[in-house]
Amino acid sequence: MDYQLDLNWPDFIANYWQKRPVVLKRGFKNFIDPISPDELAGLAMENEVDSRLVSHNEGRWQVSHGPFQSYDHLGENNWSLLVQAVNHWHEQSARLMRPFRALPDWRIDDLMISFSVPGGGVGPHYDQYDVFIIQGVGRRRWRVGEKVALKQHCPHPDLLQVEPFDAIIDEEMEPGDILYIPPGFPHEGYSLENSMNYSVGFRAPSGRELISGFADYVLQRELGSQRYTDPGVPVRQHPADVLPQEMDTLREMMLDLINQPEHFKTWFGEFVSQSRHELDVAPPEPPYQPDEIYDALKQGDAITRLGGLRVLRIADEIYVNGEKIDSPHRPALEALASNITLKAEMFGDALEDPSFLAMLAALVNSGYWYFED
Ligand code: SIN
Ligand code: CO
């Protein structure tokens, strides 16, 4: 099933995106949950899946981390199970993210799903990223405050909360309602009934992450080996001084490294196409031969992108999970980047080129795209 989001995107971006929180009443009409609470609880029992249980009792907060063996110890109130990156593990849940591709793929992160019993929530807090919180089954009361500096504290070492705040949004969310929250607006959700929430999260690199990621690239490729030179070393009154023009030259040396457009592009493509959570890769056994891929596609079979796999395009090149994919078949690369499911005709004549077919076989044999049965 495909999810249809009833939203005027230009209007939303002009008025709310990165600016103001807003409730989009019935953003999804006749919303049907992509996953059941039982299935979600099952996922949180898997080793590879990142999950936590947050509960509170008379102001005392507890956090435990998955994988969980059982849920028998939990009462009927005041707890919430949160599972990260469910789009990596559950295809129907991944579909819920597609309508948000009105925003750029590189800014979208993953889908966190929570199941909460009455009174359940993680308490008042800030997030650093934009998020769309979709209400699934059940009702939950959400409050959002103005973007102001609030005192933060940790009621449990794994839980960062803010002090109580006045609400600018206070809403009982119902199935299909969406709450959009830009970074830095305090918020809290308390369940009124057993309820599911789907958080489509975004990412935005900090300067620190960019510098550190670029430094890794420089080290890996052994760039920047040239050393500082000063054939006309200026004399100075105090030998201890580093002169302003020397500082300028040093800064230039660093900026020159970043100012190499080809390297900058390759680095950013590799950097931003990496997933922050494990992928559910299942390489086919035995691997496909290129001609088997050709035959299957020509017979009308389709290949589907693995949930959570990041495929991004910069200029003419695409980047898949941290790797640059090079090919002269630009339209075919664009098709791979744009479409989640692909059929033969979307590749055009690229399928007739053995080198393209070999590359496609490698992607399928890595488990990045798969044939649906
Ligand atoms: C949730 O409890 O489902 C979302 C938590 C959050 O506000 O980030
Ligand atoms: Co939050």
Side-chain angles (χ1 to χ4, degrees):
M1 194 197 80
D2 285 336
Y3 285 99
Q4 304 292 331
L5 172 55
D6 187 12
L7 180 60
N8 178 334
W9 281 104
D11 177 70
F12 171 81
I13 289 167
N15 294 303
Y16 300 107
W17 174 249
Q18 296 245 299
K19 302 168 195 73
R20 306 287 306 159
V22 65
V23 174
L24 310 163
K25 273 309 268 182
R26 291 287 187 266
F28 290 106
K29 301 225 159 43
N30 310 313
F31 184 77
I32 297 171
D33 287 75
I35 190 169
S36 68
D38 276 351
E39 280 178 282
L40 189 71
L43 276 179
M45 296 176 120
E46 308 268 346
N47 268 327
E48 301 80 6
V49 178
D50 188 5
S51 62
R52 58 204 164 116
L53 266 168
V54 178
S55 61
H56 63 99
N57 191 2
E58 291 169 1
R60 301 217 348 259
W61 290 83
Q62 297 284 347
V63 180
S64 53
H65 295 270
F68 298 104
Q69 251 88 56
S70 117
Y71 300 96
D72 295 343
H73 60 292
L74 296 165
E76 279 171 18
N77 289 297
N78 300 347
W79 60 266
S80 189
L81 170 70
L82 302 101
V83 185
Q84 304 291 331
V86 178
N87 58 311
H88 292 213
W89 307 98
H90 191 261
E91 197 194 337
Q92 190 56 28
S93 296
R95 284 173 189 260
L96 187 50
M97 297 180 77
R98 294 196 198 162
F100 297 92
R101 293 186 78 201
L103 293 159
D105 285 349
W106 78 268
R107 294 277 279 114
I108 301 183
D109 200 2
D110 52 31
L111 184 74
M112 194 276 285
I113 306 185
S114 68
F115 169 72
S116 312
V117 297
V122 299
H125 66 279
Y126 293 126
D127 291 309
Q128 300 180 50
Y129 306 107
D130 305 86
V131 63
F132 291 88
I133 301 176
I134 302 156
Q135 182 66 44
V137 68
R139 286 174 313 132
R140 197 170 186 198
R141 180 174 169 196
W142 278 97
R143 297 176 70 253
V144 184
E146 195 54 79
K147 184 176 182 170
V148 290
L150 295 173
K151 275 209 197 73
Q152 302 201 69
H153 65 280
C154 292
H156 179 279
D158 295 340
L159 208 57
L160 184 61
Q161 295 186 347
V162 296
E163 59 188 323
F165 57 84
D166 292 329
I168 52 171
I169 288 178
D170 188 340
E171 185 98 15
E172 257 182 39
M173 298 238 296
E174 296 173 315
D177 291 350
I178 303 171
L179 171 61
Y180 164 71
I181 312 174
F185 285 80
H187 55 280
E188 62 179 338
Y190 284 102
S191 256
L192 303 166
E193 314 172 335
N194 285 1
S195 105
M196 296 282 275
N197 272 124
Y198 303 86
S199 296
V200 178
F202 285 71
R203 48 156 92 177
S206 67
R208 178 163 67 226
E209 287 165 351
L210 293 175
I211 292 277
S212 144
F214 191 72
D216 290 342
Y217 177 91
V218 168
L219 291 174
Q220 239 171 43
R221 314 253 164 156
E222 301 188 0
L223 304 178
S225 305
Q226 257 182 40
R227 287 187 186 278
Y228 177 82
T229 57
D230 52 0
V233 59
V235 287
R236 62 212 74 198
Q237 209 179 354
H238 306 288
D241 287 352
V242 183
L243 299 182
Q245 64 264 40
E246 293 174 324
M247 292 297 286
D248 288 345
T249 308
L250 291 161
R251 198 172 52 246
E252 283 302 317
M253 272 178 80
M254 294 183 72
L255 292 177
D256 283 349
L257 268 175
I258 297 175
N259 264 330
Q260 304 180 76
E262 271 307 309
H263 277 305
F264 190 76
K265 196 173 71 176
T266 304
W267 160 67
F268 190 68
E270 292 179 1
F271 174 82
V272 77
S273 64
Q274 285 168 38
S275 257
R276 300 204 299 171
H277 288 93
E278 202 171 316
L279 293 164
D280 185 18
V281 279
E285 219 20 85
Y288 286 92
Q289 295 302 316
D291 61 310
E292 294 175 299
I293 304 240
Y294 180 89
D295 291 344
L297 285 170
K298 287 290 178 177
Q299 276 165 29
D301 291 353
I303 53 171
T304 297
R305 181 190 301 182
L306 179 65
L309 185 81
R310 294 175 73 79
V311 184
L312 299 163
R313 184 162 68 135
I314 304 181
D316 279 338
E317 279 139 6
I318 70 166
Y319 295 83
V320 177
N321 197 31
E323 268 174 74
K324 176 149 81 177
I325 304 288
D326 243 338
S327 165
H329 297 282
R330 307 292 178 217
L333 287 187
E334 193 205 309
L336 269 175
S338 303
N339 302 285
I340 306 295
T341 297
L342 294 115
K343 302 199 125 192
E345 55 273 19
M346 296 177 174
F347 291 107
D349 55 10
L351 287 184
E352 309 303 327
D353 177 350
S355 73
F356 184 84
L357 213 51
M359 182 206 80
L360 199 56
L363 292 173
V364 172
N365 289 331
S366 303
Y368 289 167
W369 275 265
Y370 59 90
F371 285 101
E372 279 183 273
D373 12 69

